[in-house]
Amino acid sequence: MINYPIKRKTQNKTNNRANLGMTLENDIETTNQYYLINDIAVIHKKPTPIQVVGVSYPARNKAKIVEAYYKTPSTTDFNGIYKGRYIDFDAKETNSKTSMPLKNIHLHQIEHLKQVASHGGIAFLIVHFKQFNEYYILPSAILFKYWDLQNDEKKGRKSIPYQTFKDSAYPISFGYIPRLDYLKVIEQHYFAK
Amino acid sequence: MINYPIKRKTQNKTNNRANLGMTLENDIETTNQYYLINDIAVIHKKPTPIQVVGVSYPARNKAKIVEAYYKTPSTTDFNGIYKGRYIDFDAKETNSKTSMPLKNIHLHQIEHLKQVASHGGIAFLIVHFKQFNEYYILPSAILFKYWDLQNDEKKGRKSIPYQTFKDSAYPISFGYIPRLDYLKVIEQHYFAK
């Protein structure tokens, strides 16, 4: 049940771990387990949506799925509750040193985060700039601003500049236990007022 | 995107729809779509968790899952936000006329609902007594009481009596649009104070 975090080696700028796409997600899931075990918050990753087409029954009580396809998620990957507040976010990684491309984000994820924010939830992205090994909480208001402007000929652009993260997002420090204490940052910016 | 609800025929006590297990879930999902479209709440069903074992790539960009298995969910099926509050519930159907068997519920679902309740979320079950075509919101406190007592030799039992639903749960009326207006009932019992 408990996956104890494994101390990771110091990373060089060249990231040589095999399963890059899963790393941020795993770090968040490990952190969520820490939150759950220590009764800090109840936040889970939603399962990946899969469309099942074919099932066979090789053993009496065991369904074996033999044909299925990945579906596009209709919401974000993570949600739950912290101190009575609804929390909702997605995790994004980029190799870029200059910006986070907006094409990493689906329209329905934006729509979902807007709905969450308008109903009083805490909505954000956790963004990992892999080349710097830096993690940020990007408040949804900043995300929406860039998203809504992206097709504006004068002010629009297809990405959020790294400098915007430096100036306006909230850094998360990478640690041992928990690995990515993002709720500490949420606490500072959304609760401590 | 929008599944308009289809007016259903009056049901006799003999329920002859083919896909019984999916009905309550579909009614809730249709209701959730109504809530979303009308900006009342943001509540989604979580995808069914599936363990993917084998994937093939018949076309260049299309992964085909060729071996996978259903996993036991680690949480409930539904969660989201209503009026700033975190909402979390599962849906259960029973053919029994006398009680809802506790074996319909997994231990980790109970643990999850307890965690949610202790962090200030609104946790409950929606229970459908199919033989009566009656729907109830069962507050988590009642569920926990029966769950925790079930192995008590004197007071314990393996089910929650139908009479307890009549006495202490909150009925949901079945309608046209939305089909199962459970948030109206939540509003009355958790908000109107």
Side-chain angles (χ1 to χ4, degrees):
Chain A
M1 181 72 194
I2 304 170
N3 293 332
Y4 287 100
I6 294 155
K7 180 122 182 160
R8 60 173 60 185
K9 291 171 193 159
T10 309
Q11 288 185 332
N12 299 324
K13 283 195 177 170
T14 309
N15 198 320
N16 56 7
R17 284 175 294 173
N19 198 355
L20 279 180
M22 297 302 287
T23 306
L24 176 59
E25 193 174 298
N26 286 349
D27 290 339
I28 293 170
E29 288 205 73
T30 306
T31 301
N32 287 344
Q33 286 181 338
Y34 169 87
Y35 290 149
L36 197 61
I37 292 162
N38 291 280
D39 204 26
I40 293 166
V42 186
I43 298 172
H44 289 276
K45 183 184 177 295
K46 294 186 182 180
T48 305
I50 289 173
Q51 168 113 44
V52 175
V53 175
V55 178
S56 76
Y57 294 87
R60 191 170 297 191
N61 291 316
K62 183 79 173 170
K64 179 184 177 184
I65 297 162
V66 294
E67 183 181 359
Y69 301 92
Y70 291 104
K71 288 198 292 186
T72 307
S74 54
T75 67
T76 49
D77 272 357
F78 298 92
N79 74 356
I81 184 170
Y82 171 61
K83 289 192 174 177
R85 295 286 300 276
Y86 177 79
I87 301 279
D88 197 301
F89 64 98
D90 216 296
K92 302 290 178 191
E93 291 192 296
T94 179
N95 266 315
S96 167
K97 292 182 178 181
T98 56
S99 66
M100 185 194 74
L102 289 171
K103 68 172 164 48
N104 288 359
I105 305 161
H106 300 297
L107 171 61
H108 44 260
Q109 292 185 316
I110 297 284
E111 288 170 344
H112 175 70
L113 288 170
K114 283 184 175 179
Q115 287 157 351
V116 165
S118 83
H119 283 270
I122 297 177
F124 55 92
L125 292 185
I126 292 181
V127 179
H128 182 201
F129 281 90
K130 292 199 280 189
Q131 298 299 322
F132 305 126
N133 215 16
E134 289 175 354
Y135 300 84
Y136 293 93
I137 283 178
L138 181 71
S140 59
I142 299 174
L143 172 64
F144 301 156
K145 193 185 86 175
Y146 279 89
W147 183 271
D148 293 341
L149 272 178
Q150 66 179 308
N151 295 318
D152 183 296
E153 273 185 35
K154 287 179 186 164
K155 299 181 208 157
R157 45 177 296 162
K158 301 293 183 192
S159 62
I160 303 177
Y162 173 66
Q163 193 60 42
T164 297
F165 285 85
K166 297 295 274 187
D167 295 342
S168 310
Y170 312 137
I172 313 168
S173 52
F174 195 91
Y176 181 36
I177 298 177
R179 287 196 201 168
L180 264 185
D181 195 358
Y182 63 90
L183 285 181
K184 184 178 167 190
V185 182
I186 292 294
E187 175 72 30
Q188 287 164 355
H189 291 277
Y190 292 84
F191 286 83
K193 281 176 183 171
Chain B
M1 179 75 195
I2 304 169
N3 292 333
Y4 287 101
I6 293 155
K7 180 122 184 159
R8 61 173 59 185
K9 292 169 191 162
T10 309
Q11 288 185 331
N12 299 323
K13 282 195 180 171
T14 309
N15 197 321
N16 56 6
R17 285 176 292 173
N19 198 355
L20 279 181
M22 298 301 287
T23 306
L24 175 59
E25 193 175 298
N26 285 351
D27 289 338
I28 293 170
E29 288 204 74
T30 306
T31 301
N32 287 343
Q33 285 181 339
Y34 169 87
Y35 290 149
L36 196 62
I37 291 161
N38 291 281
D39 204 27
I40 293 166
V42 186
I43 298 172
H44 289 275
K45 183 185 176 293
K46 294 185 183 180
T48 305
I50 289 171
Q51 168 113 42
V52 175
V53 176
V55 178
S56 76
Y57 295 86
R60 191 170 298 190
N61 291 316
K62 184 80 173 170
K64 179 184 177 184
I65 297 162
V66 293
E67 183 180 0
Y69 301 93
Y70 292 104
K71 289 198 293 186
T72 307
S74 54
T75 66
T76 48
D77 272 356
F78 298 91
N79 74 355
I81 184 171
Y82 170 61
K83 290 192 175 176
R85 295 286 300 276
Y86 177 80
I87 301 280
D88 197 302
F89 64 98
D90 217 294
K92 303 290 178 190
E93 292 193 295
T94 181
N95 266 315
S96 167
K97 292 182 178 181
T98 55
S99 66
M100 185 195 73
L102 290 171
K103 70 172 162 49
N104 287 0
I105 305 162
H106 300 296
L107 171 61
H108 43 258
Q109 292 185 315
I110 297 285
E111 288 170 345
H112 175 71
L113 288 170
K114 284 184 176 179
Q115 287 157 351
V116 165
S118 82
H119 284 270
I122 297 176
F124 55 93
L125 293 185
I126 293 180
V127 179
H128 182 201
F129 281 91
K130 292 198 280 189
Q131 298 301 320
F132 305 125
N133 214 17
E134 289 176 353
Y135 299 84
Y136 292 93
I137 284 179
L138 182 70
S140 58
I142 299 174
L143 172 64
F144 302 155
K145 193 185 86 175
Y146 278 90
W147 182 271
D148 293 340
L149 271 178
Q150 66 180 307
N151 294 318
D152 183 296
E153 272 186 34
K154 286 179 187 165
K155 299 181 208 157
R157 45 177 295 161
K158 302 291 184 193
S159 62
I160 302 178
Y162 174 66
Q163 192 60 42
T164 297
F165 285 85
K166 297 295 273 186
D167 294 342
S168 310
Y170 312 137
I172 313 168
S173 52
F174 195 92
Y176 181 35
I177 298 176
R179 286 196 202 168
L180 263 185
D181 195 357
Y182 61 89
L183 286 180
K184 184 178 168 190
V185 181
I186 291 294
E187 175 74 29
Q188 288 163 355
H189 291 277
Y190 292 83
F191 287 82
K193 282 176 184 171

